[in-house]
Amino acid sequence: MAEKTEITTARVATLEKEVRERREAHEAQRDVLHAIEVEQTRAQADWERLREHAAEELGLAVEELLQTEADLEDQPEALRETVEVLRAKIERLGPVNLLALRELDELEERSTFLTAQRKDLVEALRALDTTIREIDATCTERFVDTFQQVNAVFTETFSNLFGGGTARLDLVDEDDPLESGIDITAQPPGKKNQSVQLLSGGEKALTALSLLLALFRIKPSPFCILDEVDAPLDDANVERLAGLVQAMTEHTQFVLVTHNRRTMARADILYGVTMEEPGVSKVVSVRMED
């Protein structure tokens, strides 16, 4: 009887152990099944998201995409061919640049910045061009006005220095005064009207002095230095030049470098260099009014 009890007890223990092992296996299988269900749910959600993204990229409605999938499921051969074609296209694309989107954002930002800079430059150039045109218009107006004044005073000064005759200034290109050259036409007493290039050396010098002094009469300067301007002139012209210069000393102080006695006779102060001893120069000044 005791032997039967032991056998029964051992069998019960074995069954209990088997039950525990099977229960543990069942629990493990149930956990695995739960994990598979969770993964299936996640995969289904990813699939739905990819389907919506694909529909958005292809510009199709989800229903149209589902219909396309259904059609492909009915045609496995066509589906495999489509997969092969897409796989070949992907391989031809080469390796994927994972930084492409970031680089695209950087390039778009750079493009936006450069576009704004270009717009600013175009507007600045337009404003500068407008300013230049306004300045050119003002300069042209002032130049033409000053040119007319100088022309009138030049004619008067020429007549005073030559004791008669006439002269005038002409613009080579009247349509573009700022870039135009200037022609000087002179007619000394007793001669025909001709270009200044055809005058003698003394007449050219006196004509140039007429223009220079005309400019000083229009816009006086504090100082004016004339160096040997009377050298090619005869005595009568020297007298007329000295008289005109003396009349202009009210607004301008003239310094004349000359060896002509008639010019020196009209000066207020004379500065000369003398050599009392050989090799020793000395500056001497004389105030004529004293």
Side-chain angles (χ1 to χ4, degrees):
M1 187 68 179
E3 183 179 353
K4 289 183 179 180
T5 301
E6 291 177 0
I7 292 173
T8 302
T9 302
R11 187 175 180 182
V12 169
T14 302
L15 292 174
E16 288 179 351
K17 180 179 179 181
E18 184 178 352
V19 169
R20 284 195 304 270
E21 290 176 352
R22 291 189 177 186
R23 184 179 291 113
E24 291 175 356
H26 177 72
E27 292 293 336
Q29 291 296 327
R30 189 171 60 184
D31 292 340
V32 171
L33 178 61
H34 179 69
I36 291 174
E37 290 176 349
V38 171
E39 186 65 26
Q40 183 181 7
T41 303
R42 184 183 298 110
Q44 186 66 28
D46 292 339
W47 175 251
E48 293 295 336
R49 186 166 55 255
L50 288 174
R51 179 183 293 164
E52 293 176 358
H53 181 70
E56 182 180 354
E57 289 291 331
L58 296 175
L60 299 174
V62 178
E63 292 77 9
E64 296 178 358
L65 190 60
L66 292 174
Q67 182 63 37
T68 303
E69 292 177 359
D71 295 339
L72 291 176
E73 289 177 357
D74 296 337
Q75 302 176 3
E77 293 296 332
L79 179 60
R80 280 194 292 271
E81 291 178 0
T82 303
V83 171
E84 292 298 329
V85 171
L86 294 176
R87 183 179 290 111
K89 289 183 178 180
I90 292 173
E91 291 178 355
R92 284 198 299 270
L93 289 176
V96 177
N97 183 7
L98 300 179
L99 299 177
L101 293 178
R102 181 183 300 176
E103 293 177 357
L104 177 62
D105 293 338
E106 293 176 354
L107 290 176
E108 288 180 347
E109 183 179 355
R110 179 65 175 171
S111 176
T112 303
F113 172 75
L114 292 177
T115 301
Q117 292 294 310
R118 181 183 180 277
K119 182 179 179 181
D120 292 341
L121 289 176
V122 170
E123 293 177 355
L125 287 174
R126 187 180 297 110
L128 183 61
D129 185 60
T130 302
T131 303
I132 290 175
R133 287 197 298 269
E134 293 176 354
I135 292 175
D136 286 344
T138 302
C139 290
T140 300
E141 181 181 356
R142 292 186 178 183
F143 175 81
V144 171
D145 182 63
T146 303
F147 179 80
Q148 293 174 351
Q149 296 181 38
V150 172
N151 202 359
V153 178
F154 169 65
T155 301
E156 178 187 349
T157 305
F158 181 90
S159 179
N160 291 337
L161 289 180
F162 277 88
T166 183
R168 72 175 186 274
L169 303 174
D170 297 306
L171 292 174
V172 176
D173 184 5
E174 295 184 356
D175 295 332
D176 190 6
L178 297 181
E179 299 294 334
S180 173
I182 297 177
D183 282 337
I184 302 177
T185 304
Q187 184 179 4
K191 293 187 177 182
K192 63 179 181 179
N193 194 15
Q194 57 189 345
S195 172
V196 71
Q197 300 296 332
L198 302 177
L199 300 178
S200 65
E203 291 171 339
K204 288 181 180 179
L206 207 57
T207 302
L209 285 171
S210 300
L211 179 58
L212 177 64
L213 295 178
L215 293 174
F216 272 90
R217 292 176 63 184
I218 294 296
K219 190 174 181 60
S221 175
F223 296 95
C224 178
I225 300 177
L226 303 176
D227 186 7
E228 298 288 354
V229 295
D230 54 0
L233 305 181
D234 57 19
D235 292 344
N237 289 330
V238 169
E239 286 289 344
R240 285 192 288 268
L241 174 62
L244 181 59
V245 170
Q246 190 175 26
M248 295 174 60
T249 55
E250 181 179 353
H251 302 289
T252 302
Q253 182 176 355
F254 286 89
V255 177
L256 282 81
V257 180
T258 181
H259 292 85
N260 192 293
R261 290 177 296 175
R262 294 180 180 273
T263 303
M264 289 187 285
R266 296 293 189 96
D268 297 328
I269 301 175
L270 292 177
Y271 294 92
V273 179
T274 183
M275 188 178 295
E276 297 181 350
E277 300 178 6
V280 179
S281 298
K282 182 179 179 181
V283 177
V284 179
S285 63
V286 178
R287 184 177 296 274
M288 301 301 292
E289 61 184 12
D290 296 337

